[in-house]
Amino acid sequence: MSKVISLSEVVEANQELERANVPCKVHLRDACGRQTLWLEPSGDNLNAAVVAGRGFVRAFFKAKGYELEFDPVEGINFWAR
């Protein structure tokens, strides 16, 4: 069973992304079967923003006890294991 990331943790992640000047936001989709989150990159270099965002949210949520898994196709959708 996957873990559930709270809305307040998503808000906190977005605040920390902004403080660290990482050009991404985390969004939450609560769907049947599994909670899914996704990164919304911004700026001139979207690929670099996604890479920076993935690294940042992995570390942020790991500190809270979550292991993240990103989709292998787009690399922006993720969930907690």
Side-chain angles (χ1 to χ4, degrees), residues 19-36:
R19 275 190 205 120
N21 292 316
V22 177
C24 274
K25 287 188 178 181
V26 175
H27 296 279
L28 174 63
R29 248 185 238 127
D30 197 11
C32 295
R34 179 169 25 186
Q35 178 189 56
T36 303

Side-chain angles (χ1 to χ4, degrees), residues 13-79:
N14 282 322
Q15 291 170 341
E16 293 301 318
L17 282 160
E18 187 174 343
R19 275 190 205 120
N21 292 316
V22 177
C24 274
K25 287 188 178 181
V26 175
H27 296 279
L28 174 63
R29 248 185 238 127
D30 197 11
C32 295
R34 179 169 25 186
Q35 178 189 56
T36 303
L37 299 99
W38 61 284
L39 290 175
E40 177 187 10
S42 62
D44 295 334
N45 189 336
L46 297 181
N47 288 334
V50 169
V51 170
R54 273 196 306 240
F56 189 93
V57 298
R58 275 189 201 279
F60 176 84
F61 285 114
K62 184 172 184 134
K64 295 188 171 291
Y66 300 101
E67 285 293 324
L68 301 184
E69 182 178 345
F70 281 83
D71 77 272
V73 178
E74 293 180 357
I76 60 170
N77 298 299
F78 65 97
W79 46 92

